[in-house]
Amino acid sequence: QDGELRVVLQATEQQTQQAERERLAEDMRKLYVALTRARHYCWVGLMPVKEQSAIGYLLSDDALLSPVALPEQLSPLLAQPDIRLADNLAQQRTQVLLQDQNVELLPYAQMTRSVKELWWIASYSALLEQHQQDSKAAELFQELQQELAAEQVQEQMEPTAAKAVTLAQGFVRGSQAGTFLHDALEWGAVQGFDRLAQQPELWQEGLGPLTQKYGLVQQLSEHSWQIRYWAEQQAPYPETDHLAALLPLQQWLTELIQTPLWPDQQTSLSTLKDGSYRAELEFWLSVEQCSSAQLDALVQQYLWSEWPRPALRTTQLQGMLKGFIDLTLEQDGRYWVLDYKSNYIADGQYDSPALVQQMLAHRYDVQAALYAVAIHRLLKSRLPGYQPEQQLGGALYWFLRGGEAASKGVLAVDIPLVLVNKLDALLQGQLVAKELAHV
């Protein structure tokens, strides 16, 4: 309403309706241009769509029109001498013709073959989709092994030892648990990690809605809440007041943001300067004729080349490659990417070799390399006098459950600049197969 673009992440019903009106208005402008720019005649093809369309809005007050009712709605237009329905189309298609009577019609072209568009939007996740059944079976078997090992560890634990399990290791597992931790740390980044370290009680403001959203804490009455975030907890879940339910999560997150990010350094999220980091940085990389096999070969050559790992999905990348970086930060003049991981390791060993195994099993090595290219392109376009040798950092992969290990669950990944440059060129279709012959 004030003429400025607004981005709303959690829209109300009123805002959703307003956005829909704005979309329809923009579609109306495009339709106007399409119908009024032809010099002699214009074919208009109509087909059913799920959303409200501009042409539907013109033909029907509520912009909802069934194909059966279409001829009736078009009938007033057909009284005009320059508008008629084409009569030589398949039954399931409708085409309206706006014609200049002084111009002889030309036949429209008939397609004799199907057109396959190779342009698509890929992501790191799309590259991981295995195309062979045995790969999926092997992955499932690995997951079952991990679950069995976790159950065995739990069975061997004495009742007194079970109480000693930290929240980091005992926290519920699965994708929702990981998303919750990502959302909580994203919320913390917006508030300011240094501020939360000084006032840890502020976590409760963000944790309240998030724990209810993901079902980790459930309200029973005005003063009674159930805790549901312990993985091995048996029903009925313990009841407590809201503050007591949030306090363990608050303490864990406070410890996390004070965790050293590099060995032999005291730098943590809580010590980062205000404005030196940004959460959930979105990137879109243009890709030209890039083979996933060549991309995979490059990454395997420069990152842990002696270690085996599952292959990427075999595909051709053409179009865009998109993603989100959990946290992008600047430290001592170098720019790093940081990714939060909630992977559960049954034996509780989060040392560096175990973390490397997690990196390769889930192909986080590819993710780290693509993130480095994204940051490299951003810095090259935005940072005056950019010198990648001095200013491009690596990747930090933070396995949040590993706080008790010597590594604190943090694995610093050095991304060689030669890999970044070659991968950047490969994504742009500039690296020919001959240059990859030795890979």
Side-chain angles (χ1 to χ4, degrees):
Q1 294 179 353
D2 55 7
E4 295 182 357
L5 181 65
R6 294 183 61 195
V7 178
V8 180
L9 300 182
Q10 295 181 336
T12 64
E13 183 176 354
Q14 181 181 2
Q15 290 169 330
T16 301
Q17 293 176 354
Q18 182 180 354
E20 177 63 17
R21 288 195 300 271
E22 293 286 351
R23 181 198 63 79
L24 185 58
E26 179 63 17
D27 286 350
M28 289 287 291
R29 288 188 283 270
K30 292 176 181 177
L31 179 63
Y32 170 79
V33 172
L35 294 180
T36 59
R37 292 304 184 267
R39 294 186 59 187
H40 299 298
Y41 60 91
C42 175
W43 296 93
V44 181
L46 303 182
M47 64 178 291
V49 292
K50 293 182 179 180
E51 66 274 4
Q52 295 180 333
S53 68
I55 192 71
Y57 181 80
L58 288 180
L59 297 175
S60 174
D61 291 339
D62 58 4
L64 297 175
L65 184 63
S66 70
V68 176
L70 182 59
E72 182 181 350
Q73 293 297 116
L74 290 174
S75 57
L77 297 177
L78 300 181
Q80 305 296 322
D82 295 336
I83 299 178
R84 67 178 177 87
L85 288 181
D87 54 7
N88 55 349
L89 297 172
Q91 286 185 338
Q92 299 301 318
R93 298 172 183 269
T94 302
Q95 204 165 60
V96 184
L97 180 65
L98 282 69
Q99 173 190 349
D100 182 340
Q101 297 290 343
N102 298 320
V103 178
E104 182 181 357
L105 291 181
L106 299 176
Y108 57 85
Q110 294 285 346
M111 295 298 295
T112 58
R113 61 180 178 84
S114 62
V115 179
K116 295 186 68 175
E117 176 59 71
L118 294 179
W119 195 100
W120 63 298
I121 299 175
S123 65
Y124 156 72
S125 300
L127 291 174
L128 295 187
E129 294 178 5
Q130 299 296 318
H131 66 290
Q132 295 179 344
Q133 284 297 91
D134 56 347
S135 297
K136 288 182 181 259
E139 184 178 341
L140 178 59
F141 179 71
Q142 183 182 19
E143 291 179 2
L144 291 175
Q145 279 188 317
Q146 292 176 350
E147 291 181 8
L148 180 61
E151 291 175 1
Q152 292 173 343
V153 169
Q154 183 65 26
E155 289 173 359
Q156 294 169 1
M157 293 172 61
E158 296 295 331
T160 54
K163 295 180 181 178
V165 175
T166 64
L167 179 56
Q169 191 69 353
F171 192 65
V172 292
R173 300 184 283 274
S175 59
Q176 273 205 321
T179 306
F180 162 77
L181 290 170
H182 279 73
D183 287 357
L185 288 167
E186 180 184 354
W187 182 87
V190 174
Q191 308 307 310
F193 291 125
D194 56 341
R195 179 167 170 251
L196 290 170
Q198 296 170 8
Q199 301 174 273
E201 68 278 2
L202 296 179
W203 278 111
Q204 298 167 23
E205 180 183 339
L207 288 176
L210 285 176
T211 52
Q212 294 182 64
K213 174 182 178 181
Y214 292 102
L216 301 178
V217 173
Q218 184 175 6
Q219 186 173 11
L220 300 177
S221 63
E222 184 178 357
H223 302 291
S224 179
W225 300 74
Q226 276 188 342
I227 297 177
R228 295 171 172 261
Y229 48 72
W230 285 97
E232 305 299 339
Q233 204 163 61
Q234 299 297 320
Y237 297 99
E239 299 179 16
T240 183
D241 62 82
H242 197 210
L243 178 60
L246 297 180
L247 191 57
L249 293 171
Q250 171 189 317
Q251 293 172 341
W252 183 22
L253 289 166
T254 302
E255 292 172 3
L256 284 176
I257 65 174
Q258 294 174 337
T259 299
L261 297 178
W262 288 273
D264 305 322
Q265 289 191 30
Q266 296 303 313
T267 303
S268 65
L269 294 183
S270 62
T271 63
L272 294 177
K273 298 178 181 178
D274 186 34
S276 66
Y277 57 87
R278 178 172 175 178
E280 289 297 306
L281 180 66
E282 182 179 10
F283 66 85
W284 290 73
L285 303 178
S286 60
V287 183
E288 296 287 342
Q289 297 296 333
C290 173
S291 162
S292 64
Q294 290 182 329
L295 185 153
D296 196 3
L298 264 180
V299 173
Q300 292 200 41
Q301 180 189 10
Y302 288 99
L303 297 180
W304 299 292
S305 58
E306 70 281 7
W307 291 62
R309 67 207 77 179
L312 294 180
R313 169 192 175 191
T314 302
T315 187
Q316 189 77 7
L317 302 179
Q318 172 69 20
M320 302 295 292
L321 189 63
K322 63 171 289 190
F324 292 86
I325 301 174
D326 289 346
L327 196 74
T328 309
L329 60 97
E330 181 270 330
Q331 175 68 13
D332 296 330
R334 301 188 73 191
Y335 293 82
W336 296 74
V337 297
L338 187 153
D339 202 80
Y340 309 122
K341 298 299 181 186
S342 60
N343 302 48
Y344 172 78
I345 301 178
D347 61 9
Q349 298 300 313
Y350 291 83
D351 54 9
S352 294
L355 299 186
V356 173
Q357 289 181 355
Q358 291 289 317
M359 293 287 296
L360 299 180
H362 299 280
R363 296 311 309 267
Y364 298 148
D365 55 334
V366 175
Q367 185 185 47
L370 293 175
Y371 284 0
V373 173
I375 294 299
H376 175 64
R377 286 192 185 181
L378 177 65
L379 295 175
K380 189 162 57 173
S381 66
R382 300 285 183 86
L383 194 63
Y386 169 56
Q387 297 180 330
E389 298 84 356
Q390 286 78 38
Q391 294 176 298
L392 182 62
L396 299 172
Y397 273 71
W398 189 1
F399 294 81
L400 301 173
R401 298 178 187 267
E404 297 297 316
S407 66
K408 300 300 181 183
V410 182
L411 183 69
V413 183
D414 179 32
I415 313 291
L417 183 57
V418 61
L419 170 59
V420 175
N421 287 330
K422 285 189 175 183
L423 192 53
D424 189 20
L426 178 64
L427 294 176
Q428 298 180 64
Q430 298 175 4
L431 198 61
V432 297
K434 181 175 65 174
E435 297 178 74
L436 285 166
H438 66 287
V439 176

